[in-house]
Amino acid sequence: MEQQEYVSVTEFCNGHSISTSIISQLNEFGLVRVIERSDSLYIPLEELPKTEKMLRLHTDLNINLEGVEVITRLLERIERANEEMVKLRNKLSLYE
């Protein structure tokens, strides 16, 4: 079984000078996966780029968390649409 590495929410928030409540709220919105172990919260390493992207939207661009949720959902839909378009282009090229 693959071993997954984690970063403590407290360390992440201290490093970015933010409150841990922001990560908790992102978790509540379903935007960031947080794991609880030994009464501490952890973010999987694979979630860090996405978490930092949302954090930049929130702090640098001063977008509220509801807006971050909408932007993130739209970006995910665009990514899925692009992936589907590539698949369809590949299928179409078989027939050309």
Side-chain angles (χ1 to χ4, degrees):
M1 189 165 151
E2 182 179 317
Q3 183 177 354
Q4 196 168 18
E5 295 184 31
Y6 303 94
V7 172
S8 167
V9 169
T10 306
E11 288 178 23
F12 179 83
C13 291
N14 288 341
H16 290 284
S17 302
I18 60 168
S19 169
T20 57
S21 65
I22 293 174
I23 301 299
S24 296
Q25 290 173 335
L26 289 173
N27 184 42
E28 289 172 13
F29 283 121
L31 299 173
V32 174
R33 189 167 49 106
V34 176
I35 309 292
E36 183 174 354
R37 290 196 175 164
S38 306
D39 296 329
S40 296
L41 297 175
Y42 296 91
I43 303 170
L45 284 181
E46 64 192 30
E47 293 277 317
L48 284 183
K50 185 172 71 170
T51 305
E52 289 175 337
K53 184 177 186 179
M54 286 182 246
L55 185 60
R56 283 192 307 272
L57 287 171
H58 178 65
T59 56
D60 295 349
L61 299 177
N62 202 23
I63 298 173
N64 64 17
L65 292 176
E66 290 82 6
V68 170
E69 177 184 22
V70 169
I71 291 168
T72 302
R73 302 281 185 221
L74 287 172
L75 289 172
E76 287 172 356
R77 287 178 62 188
I78 290 169
E79 183 64 30
R80 284 193 307 270
N82 284 337
E83 289 171 1
E84 184 177 350
M85 187 170 53
V86 167
K87 287 178 186 177
L88 291 173
R89 281 186 180 160
N90 289 339
K91 282 184 180 180
L92 182 61
S93 69
L94 292 174
Y95 298 106
E96 291 180 336

